[in-house]
PDB file of all heavy atoms in Angstrom:
ATOM      1  N   ASN A 155      82.518  80.454 131.181  1.00  0.00           N
ATOM      2  CA  ASN A 155      83.271  79.476 131.955  1.00  0.00           C
ATOM      3  C   ASN A 155      82.435  78.690 132.841  1.00  0.00           C
ATOM      4  O   ASN A 155      82.566  77.462 132.959  1.00  0.00           O
ATOM      5  CB  ASN A 155      84.345  80.227 132.686  1.00  0.00           C
ATOM      6  CG  ASN A 155      85.555  80.585 131.851  1.00  0.00           C
ATOM      7  OD1 ASN A 155      85.613  80.071 130.692  1.00  0.00           O
ATOM      8  ND2 ASN A 155      86.517  81.237 132.366  1.00  0.00           N
ATOM      9  N   GLU A 156      81.474  79.324 133.653  1.00  0.00           N
ATOM     10  CA  GLU A 156      80.622  78.521 134.476  1.00  0.00           C
ATOM     11  C   GLU A 156      79.750  77.526 133.771  1.00  0.00           C
ATOM     12  O   GLU A 156      79.601  76.444 134.254  1.00  0.00           O
ATOM     13  CB  GLU A 156      79.822  79.502 135.258  1.00  0.00           C
ATOM     14  CG  GLU A 156      80.449  80.377 136.313  1.00  0.00           C
ATOM     15  CD  GLU A 156      79.621  81.537 136.835  1.00  0.00           C
ATOM     16  OE1 GLU A 156      78.614  81.904 136.212  1.00  0.00           O
ATOM     17  OE2 GLU A 156      80.095  82.157 137.821  1.00  0.00           O
ATOM     18  N   TYR A 157      79.294  78.004 132.561  1.00  0.00           N
ATOM     19  CA  TYR A 157      78.327  77.173 131.834  1.00  0.00           C
ATOM     20  C   TYR A 157      79.209  75.930 131.328  1.00  0.00           C
ATOM     21  O   TYR A 157      78.824  74.775 131.383  1.00  0.00           O
ATOM     22  CB  TYR A 157      77.854  77.935 130.574  1.00  0.00           C
ATOM     23  CG  TYR A 157      77.214  76.971 129.547  1.00  0.00           C
ATOM     24  CD1 TYR A 157      75.955  76.391 129.836  1.00  0.00           C
ATOM     25  CD2 TYR A 157      77.838  76.638 128.383  1.00  0.00           C
ATOM     26  CE1 TYR A 157      75.382  75.551 128.967  1.00  0.00           C
ATOM     27  CE2 TYR A 157      77.211  75.797 127.471  1.00  0.00           C
ATOM     28  CZ  TYR A 157      76.001  75.335 127.736  1.00  0.00           C
ATOM     29  OH  TYR A 157      75.424  74.355 126.823  1.00  0.00           O
ATOM     30  N   ARG A 158      80.489  76.209 130.831  1.00  0.00           N
ATOM     31  CA  ARG A 158      81.256  75.008 130.268  1.00  0.00           C
ATOM     32  C   ARG A 158      81.548  74.082 131.374  1.00  0.00           C
ATOM     33  O   ARG A 158      81.586  72.767 131.117  1.00  0.00           O
ATOM     34  CB  ARG A 158      82.468  75.637 129.677  1.00  0.00           C
ATOM     35  CG  ARG A 158      82.243  76.270 128.251  1.00  0.00           C
ATOM     36  CD  ARG A 158      83.587  76.584 127.564  1.00  0.00           C
ATOM     37  NE  ARG A 158      83.360  76.898 126.193  1.00  0.00           N
ATOM     38  CZ  ARG A 158      83.075  78.094 125.704  1.00  0.00           C
ATOM     39  NH1 ARG A 158      82.867  79.106 126.515  1.00  0.00           N
ATOM     40  NH2 ARG A 158      82.913  78.318 124.381  1.00  0.00           N
ATOM     41  N   ILE A 159      81.886  74.626 132.689  1.00  0.00           N
ATOM     42  CA  ILE A 159      82.212  73.711 133.725  1.00  0.00           C
ATOM     43  C   ILE A 159      80.927  72.834 134.087  1.00  0.00           C
ATOM     44  O   ILE A 159      81.079  71.596 134.184  1.00  0.00           O
ATOM     45  CB  ILE A 159      82.622  74.523 134.913  1.00  0.00           C
ATOM     46  CG1 ILE A 159      84.020  75.127 134.701  1.00  0.00           C
ATOM     47  CG2 ILE A 159      82.732  73.615 136.178  1.00  0.00           C
ATOM     48  CD1 ILE A 159      84.335  76.183 135.787  1.00  0.00           C
ATOM     49  N   LEU A 160      79.863  73.482 134.213  1.00  0.00           N
ATOM     50  CA  LEU A 160      78.602  72.719 134.525  1.00  0.00           C
ATOM     51  C   LEU A 160      78.194  71.798 133.563  1.00  0.00           C
ATOM     52  O   LEU A 160      77.710  70.704 133.795  1.00  0.00           O
ATOM     53  CB  LEU A 160      77.502  73.775 134.884  1.00  0.00           C
ATOM     54  CG  LEU A 160      76.388  73.364 135.846  1.00  0.00           C
ATOM     55  CD1 LEU A 160      77.005  72.753 137.171  1.00  0.00           C
ATOM     56  CD2 LEU A 160      75.410  74.537 136.162  1.00  0.00           C
ATOM     57  N   LEU A 161      78.225  72.195 132.247  1.00  0.00           N
ATOM     58  CA  LEU A 161      77.955  71.280 131.223  1.00  0.00           C
ATOM     59  C   LEU A 161      78.797  70.009 131.159  1.00  0.00           C
ATOM     60  O   LEU A 161      78.308  68.941 131.041  1.00  0.00           O
ATOM     61  CB  LEU A 161      78.065  72.118 129.810  1.00  0.00           C
ATOM     62  CG  LEU A 161      77.782  71.231 128.493  1.00  0.00           C
ATOM     63  CD1 LEU A 161      76.360  70.676 128.493  1.00  0.00           C
ATOM     64  CD2 LEU A 161      78.084  71.973 127.262  1.00  0.00           C
ATOM     65  N   CYS A 162      80.117  70.179 131.377  1.00  0.00           N
ATOM     66  CA  CYS A 162      81.051  69.072 131.360  1.00  0.00           C
ATOM     67  C   CYS A 162      80.712  68.104 132.570  1.00  0.00           C
ATOM     68  O   CYS A 162      80.676  67.007 132.371  1.00  0.00           O
ATOM     69  CB  CYS A 162      82.511  69.545 131.520  1.00  0.00           C
ATOM     70  SG  CYS A 162      83.626  68.274 131.324  1.00  0.00           S
ATOM     71  N   LEU A 163      80.450  68.682 133.705  1.00  0.00           N
ATOM     72  CA  LEU A 163      80.146  67.866 134.873  1.00  0.00           C
ATOM     73  C   LEU A 163      78.752  67.194 134.726  1.00  0.00           C
ATOM     74  O   LEU A 163      78.638  66.031 135.102  1.00  0.00           O
ATOM     75  CB  LEU A 163      80.156  68.719 136.073  1.00  0.00           C
ATOM     76  CG  LEU A 163      81.483  69.290 136.650  1.00  0.00           C
ATOM     77  CD1 LEU A 163      81.279  70.305 137.648  1.00  0.00           C
ATOM     78  CD2 LEU A 163      82.379  68.209 136.945  1.00  0.00           C
ATOM     79  N   MET A 164      77.693  67.820 134.293  1.00  0.00           N
ATOM     80  CA  MET A 164      76.449  67.284 134.080  1.00  0.00           C
ATOM     81  C   MET A 164      76.307  66.282 132.979  1.00  0.00           C
ATOM     82  O   MET A 164      75.722  65.172 133.051  1.00  0.00           O
ATOM     83  CB  MET A 164      75.346  68.319 133.910  1.00  0.00           C
ATOM     84  CG  MET A 164      75.155  69.128 135.272  1.00  0.00           C
ATOM     85  SD  MET A 164      73.950  70.484 135.091  1.00  0.00           S
ATOM     86  CE  MET A 164      72.395  69.492 135.065  1.00  0.00           C
ATOM     87  N   GLU A 165      77.206  66.420 131.915  1.00  0.00           N
ATOM     88  CA  GLU A 165      77.277  65.452 130.836  1.00  0.00           C
ATOM     89  C   GLU A 165      77.866  64.163 131.350  1.00  0.00           C
ATOM     90  O   GLU A 165      77.662  63.042 130.873  1.00  0.00           O
ATOM     91  CB  GLU A 165      78.139  66.006 129.700  1.00  0.00           C
ATOM     92  CG  GLU A 165      77.425  66.949 128.804  1.00  0.00           C
ATOM     93  CD  GLU A 165      78.262  67.553 127.749  1.00  0.00           C
ATOM     94  OE1 GLU A 165      79.550  67.472 127.917  1.00  0.00           O
ATOM     95  OE2 GLU A 165      77.738  68.072 126.749  1.00  0.00           O
ATOM     96  N   ASN A 166      78.697  64.351 132.523  1.00  0.00           N
ATOM     97  CA  ASN A 166      79.398  63.040 132.999  1.00  0.00           C
ATOM     98  C   ASN A 166      78.933  62.816 134.471  1.00  0.00           C
ATOM     99  O   ASN A 166      79.637  62.278 135.264  1.00  0.00           O
ATOM    100  CB  ASN A 166      80.854  63.400 133.000  1.00  0.00           C
ATOM    101  CG  ASN A 166      81.433  63.465 131.629  1.00  0.00           C
ATOM    102  OD1 ASN A 166      81.816  62.439 130.991  1.00  0.00           O
ATOM    103  ND2 ASN A 166      81.660  64.698 131.222  1.00  0.00           N
ATOM    104  N   LYS A 167      77.635  63.281 134.709  1.00  0.00           N
ATOM    105  CA  LYS A 167      77.186  63.013 136.051  1.00  0.00           C
ATOM    106  C   LYS A 167      77.308  61.639 136.578  1.00  0.00           C
ATOM    107  O   LYS A 167      77.007  60.604 135.833  1.00  0.00           O
ATOM    108  CB  LYS A 167      75.635  63.390 136.206  1.00  0.00           C
ATOM    109  CG  LYS A 167      74.687  62.778 135.244  1.00  0.00           C
ATOM    110  CD  LYS A 167      73.328  63.506 135.361  1.00  0.00           C
ATOM    111  CE  LYS A 167      72.259  62.975 134.416  1.00  0.00           C
ATOM    112  NZ  LYS A 167      71.014  63.660 134.442  1.00  0.00           N
ATOM    113  N   GLY A 168      77.702  61.447 137.796  1.00  0.00           N
ATOM    114  CA  GLY A 168      78.020  60.162 138.397  1.00  0.00           C
ATOM    115  C   GLY A 168      79.486  59.714 138.185  1.00  0.00           C
ATOM    116  O   GLY A 168      79.881  58.621 138.654  1.00  0.00           O
ATOM    117  N   LYS A 169      80.220  60.503 137.305  1.00  0.00           N
ATOM    118  CA  LYS A 169      81.607  60.148 137.060  1.00  0.00           C
ATOM    119  C   LYS A 169      82.475  61.381 137.499  1.00  0.00           C
ATOM    120  O   LYS A 169      82.124  62.498 137.415  1.00  0.00           O
ATOM    121  CB  LYS A 169      81.798  59.944 135.585  1.00  0.00           C
ATOM    122  CG  LYS A 169      81.028  58.832 135.016  1.00  0.00           C
ATOM    123  CD  LYS A 169      81.242  58.710 133.472  1.00  0.00           C
ATOM    124  CE  LYS A 169      80.313  57.605 132.903  1.00  0.00           C
ATOM    125  NZ  LYS A 169      80.531  57.558 131.417  1.00  0.00           N
ATOM    126  N   VAL A 170      83.717  61.040 138.005  1.00  0.00           N
ATOM    127  CA  VAL A 170      84.651  62.025 138.418  1.00  0.00           C
ATOM    128  C   VAL A 170      85.332  62.617 137.204  1.00  0.00           C
ATOM    129  O   VAL A 170      85.702  61.941 136.246  1.00  0.00           O
ATOM    130  CB  VAL A 170      85.751  61.530 139.294  1.00  0.00           C
ATOM    131  CG1 VAL A 170      86.761  62.539 139.600  1.00  0.00           C
ATOM    132  CG2 VAL A 170      85.187  60.997 140.598  1.00  0.00           C
ATOM    133  N   VAL A 171      85.241  64.013 137.019  1.00  0.00           N
ATOM    134  CA  VAL A 171      85.813  64.731 135.903  1.00  0.00           C
ATOM    135  C   VAL A 171      87.171  65.345 136.399  1.00  0.00           C
ATOM    136  O   VAL A 171      87.137  66.059 137.459  1.00  0.00           O
ATOM    137  CB  VAL A 171      84.895  65.818 135.354  1.00  0.00           C
ATOM    138  CG1 VAL A 171      85.621  66.485 134.129  1.00  0.00           C
ATOM    139  CG2 VAL A 171      83.554  65.150 134.913  1.00  0.00           C
TER     140      VAL A 171
END
Side-chain angles (χ1 to χ4, degrees):
N155 279 352
E156 291 167 348
Y157 169 73
R158 283 183 167 91
I159 290 170
L160 208 48
L161 178 61
C162 187
L163 291 172
M164 291 180 72
E165 283 177 340
N166 295 278
K167 56 188 176 184
K169 301 176 183 177
V170 177
V171 179

